[in-house]
Amino acid sequence: MTRLAEHELLRGSLDHCVKCTICETACPVSNVTSLFPGPKYAGPQSERYRIADEPTVDASVDYCSGCGICSQVCPQGVKIAELNAQARDQLKRQHGVPLRDRVITRPTWLGRAGTPAAAVANWSLGFRPARILAEKALGVHRDAPAPRFAGRRFSRWARTHTSPAAARRVVYFHGCGTEYYEPWEGERVVAVLEHNGYEVVVPKQDCCGLPLQSSGLFDAARKTVLRLARALAPYVADEHTIIVGNATSCTLMLKREAREILELDDDPDLRRVSERTYDVCELLLEQHARGELRTDFAPLHETVAYHAPCQQQGHWIGKPALELLALIPGLEVRELNARCCGIAGTYGLKAEKYEIAMAVGSDLFAQVSASGAATVACDSETCRWQITHGTQLPSVHPIDYLYRAYGLE
Amino acid sequence: MKRSQRDDVIVIGAGTAGLTAAIRLAEAGASVRVVARGIGSTHLAPGTIDVLGYAPGGEARVPVRSPAAAVAQLAADRPDHPYALVGAEVVAEAVAWLREAAANGPLPGYRYAGELERNLMLPTAVGALKPSALVPETFAAGDAAELGRVCVIGIAALRDFYPQLCAANLRAAGIDAHAASIELVLERADASMLGLARRFDDATWRASFCALLAPLVRAADHVGLPATLGLSDPHAVLSELERRLGRRVFEIPSLPPSVPGMRLYEILRQRLRAAGGRIALGASIVSHQRQGERIASVDAATAGSETTYSADAFVLASGGFHSGAIALDSHWVTRELVLGLPLQGLPAASEPRFVAAYGAEQPLARVGVAVDRELRATGAANVVVAGASLPGAVPWHEGSGEGIALASGYRAAQVVAAELGAGIGAAA
């Protein structure tokens, strides 16, 4: 299928829109700001006025955060968020891309630059005058949550680590957050997988291109995700090896978004990788359903709040992390009932969108405080950084609780 | 390569029928997963439980006074009607259950009012009076039998509610009604029902709204407002308005999104969560595997590749024509699209599929998944059918959609629980 045909297929889903407004009830952004008129307006309604090569008449679609909840709740299967992402790409082509969007959407550049100079980089990220300068010069909000460089890379650890040979093998896709900012999360994922009888292979890999895509830089996003697909595909050439990731938005990019939004459904490498990719909690829950997950959990006597990120919800598999956490004796899990933390990857970093992102997240932050939990479990790293920014509480991947309950510390 | 999950029961559909069945089964100890393409009917319907507004077959549109009596009569007269399959007793049990679920739900103090012995007659957005058995407490004061002088309030920026139209039609029905509008300064040129409801959640905004409203309603005993009285604490909003205005206040439903319907969804969803049930939204069911007369598993089009959900029993609550689960194609062939099950109530091949008369009963109106007396799908013994997927009713004529959804969802759970018996919880 050509890319145009794929686009027309996506567009064809508009005909199923009955204007029921269910998407509007779920949109985190339009419920806090009038700058974004809502998914129905920006999507199925405005799309009729978008004509190839003609100027975009309405720029409000840039305020869509790309969280994807509209497509998830639509009872008619309309690809609302996907079309809005494409409209944003068109908008950027016509109106140009700010330098900021070229920089903050490349975690690999940032990570490679920041890691060797972590002390200096981290200091400047916390240094007010530097942040004000970055806001003025680049448009990155001075208060936006900025992760700290770990100063070491996960892949370095992985190279020195030998995973014990086992009957089942998984390929670990760790993503940039684990690589540059939270390498310990990757070590824990590997330990939990090995504990459950997997041999873990860590191929050389790079960014999935999601930040580029969600900022509307589709050409660069396509190059990036295809490079990753080429790197991973040879590892799943057999019939059974799977890929597992802990960065839920990046695994969703591989599974669905690159195929639909970037219209790369025809690429055989990406398809194979997409079909084989699992979210780590999804994989472990599937193993549990087969009665094969180890449940030698020691009790954890504490309370944790759990937030399912929008991008995790985009896998359309419910909340596997919640089901896994429920297996740990003693652990009190409070499921939060808010839609979104607001950050949406890089959305909440942008100076003109920071306040919106914080307003979106305010409901979640209030629920965290009311929950009495000392930590928040969440499957996406950018969401975790935003939650910590909004609540001052630590936020970790759900896998951390399994890691501790298994006694792997 | 397919992903896989296993549960006791998979419920297909997240509307009132599916959620009711899922909750009842989860509370009986089964491991239950709701799999649905999106959110269901709750957000589109007014949030009332209309059990039976008009008895089928009658010439004139005379509203039913007692749904309890009329349901029993209907069950006797029309053995194919969902109420005949479910039984009047189960209808009453299900209604009592929903009242309890709302009272113990996440919205403090928010209750459902009304009873099966008497329909309430409540103003719609166009000022017609609609019979409902069970209604949110925020609607109750609108019952025509109790209405004194009514002031119907509109908000100038609200595009989905016209108080003059509503009041004029209420007057035509013999109710002493007049209209008034409030000018609000809003960020946007227009406002939606949902946008206003979020404003009502804010105590400061509410107080200033009451200050604007008070002078307009001096001549009235009752104040009708578009159904926007908050999402998080509607009981408190209603109490505060009635206290500040010194008058009875009621909500009038209008175009979607339905704020009272969203409250109902929240009541059901949180009840399901508390019972340990799970919901996976977003993926459509695209295929299934059979073992003889049973469905062994269904495949959902989850991200990346399909997920196979295996279960001992399935509840099909995916809706009828309007949700897209049953479709008539351009060759005039009617199909159930989720599990490919046989349909019932189809006109013969030589008969018309459509009549060109507005408001007339359409030949396809009673089409639904063919079922036995226990709601089991023909040809799929472990699939129990509920809600708008069922044949034999014309909900929009009868004023029975939510009642059928609630009662058949409740009944479906009984049938499945009896079948699973000692096996309940085996997959948990």
Side-chain angles (χ1 to χ4, degrees), chain B residues 233-274:
Chain B
D233 197 355
H235 175 75
V237 174
L238 178 71
S239 312
E240 183 181 332
L241 258 63
E242 294 199 327
R243 197 182 66 243
R244 285 182 188 270
L245 301 172
R247 275 150 186 82
R248 296 302 307 279
V249 171
F250 62 94
E251 289 189 297
I252 304 172
S254 186
L255 294 178
S258 164
V259 170
M262 291 171 70
R263 295 176 199 143
L264 177 60
Y265 179 74
E266 209 48 31
I267 289 166
L268 295 175
R269 191 175 72 98
Q270 296 219 27
R271 177 97 177 201
L272 178 61
R273 249 164 55 153

Side-chain angles (χ1 to χ4, degrees), chain A residues 221-241:
Chain A
R222 286 191 183 104
K223 262 184 226 149
T224 308
V225 72
L226 288 178
R227 191 168 58 223
L228 177 63
R230 307 273 180 266
L232 297 176
Y235 291 86
V236 290
D238 60 26
E239 285 310 306
H240 53 270
T241 302

Side-chain angles (χ1 to χ4, degrees), chain A residues 36-326:
Chain A
F36 182 56
K40 176 172 73 91
Y41 179 102
Q45 278 165 216
S46 298
E47 185 66 20
R48 290 175 297 173
Y49 300 101
R50 294 184 190 123
I51 299 163
D53 308 324
E54 286 194 17
T56 302
V57 290
D58 177 18
S60 64
V61 73
D62 190 43
Y63 279 91
C64 162
S65 76
C67 76
I69 290 293
C70 47
S71 294
Q72 192 212 358
V73 298
C74 174
Q76 304 293 344
V78 182
K79 300 285 184 187
I80 313 164
E82 293 74 9
L83 281 160
N84 285 340
Q86 294 185 347
R88 180 168 33 235
D89 172 56
Q90 281 302 317
L91 190 71
K92 292 281 172 84
R93 281 175 201 278
Q94 291 169 3
H95 294 247
V97 181
L99 174 65
R100 175 207 50 206
D101 292 7
R102 295 185 191 280
V103 174
I104 62 171
T105 54
R106 287 180 167 84
T108 309
W109 292 0
L110 297 170
R112 287 195 180 142
T115 298
V120 178
N122 290 338
W123 174 81
S124 59
L125 284 170
F127 182 54
R128 193 79 183 157
R131 292 297 300 266
I132 293 171
L133 190 67
E135 181 179 302
K136 302 260 188 237
L138 271 179
V140 176
H141 196 280
R142 64 186 70 177
D143 295 322
R148 296 294 186 261
F149 293 102
R152 63 190 174 91
R153 290 168 62 169
F154 170 75
S155 54
R156 294 272 150 79
W157 174 88
R159 246 176 275 159
T160 60
H161 173 79
T162 310
S163 194
R168 291 178 296 197
R169 242 167 49 116
V170 284
V171 173
Y172 178 33
F173 164 52
H174 51 71
C176 305
T178 302
E179 174 71 353
Y180 301 109
Y181 303 106
E182 298 178 338
W184 56 87
E185 292 283 6
E187 293 164 27
R188 290 169 192 174
V189 168
V190 170
V192 168
L193 289 169
E194 287 174 354
H195 186 70
N196 279 292
Y198 288 103
E199 181 184 344
V200 183
V201 182
V202 185
K204 194 166 157 39
Q205 54 190 275
D206 213 331
C207 180
C208 66
L210 174 60
L212 290 161
Q213 174 199 284
S214 62
S215 285
L217 288 89
F218 277 20
D219 291 339
R222 286 191 183 104
K223 262 184 226 149
T224 308
V225 72
L226 288 178
R227 191 168 58 223
L228 177 63
R230 307 273 180 266
L232 297 176
Y235 291 86
V236 290
D238 60 26
E239 285 310 306
H240 53 270
T241 302
I242 58 161
I243 300 164
V244 63
N246 57 316
T248 199
S249 49
C250 308
T251 52
L252 184 65
M253 177 71 176
L254 286 180
K255 276 184 174 187
R256 186 165 66 81
E257 293 201 340
R259 286 170 62 179
E260 288 185 354
I261 297 175
L262 299 179
E263 295 165 339
L264 295 170
D265 205 35
D266 264 2
D267 187 88
D269 285 340
L270 180 63
R271 273 195 87 113
R272 178 170 282 266
V273 166
S274 159
E275 286 165 5
R276 297 293 181 86
T277 297
Y278 274 69
D279 183 87
V280 64
C281 292
E282 177 188 25
L283 177 71
L284 295 175
L285 188 67
E286 181 173 312
Q287 201 178 347
H288 182 59
R290 289 197 306 262
E292 294 170 3
L293 185 78
R294 284 183 66 171
T295 51
D296 51 337
F297 296 116
L300 294 180
H301 295 289
E302 56 192 278
T303 302
V304 57
Y306 173 70
H307 170 63
C310 307
Q311 297 270 310
Q312 188 281 327
Q313 287 294 285
H315 291 249
W316 299 339
I317 55 173
K319 299 180 178 177
L322 205 55
E323 294 179 52
L324 288 176
L325 292 175

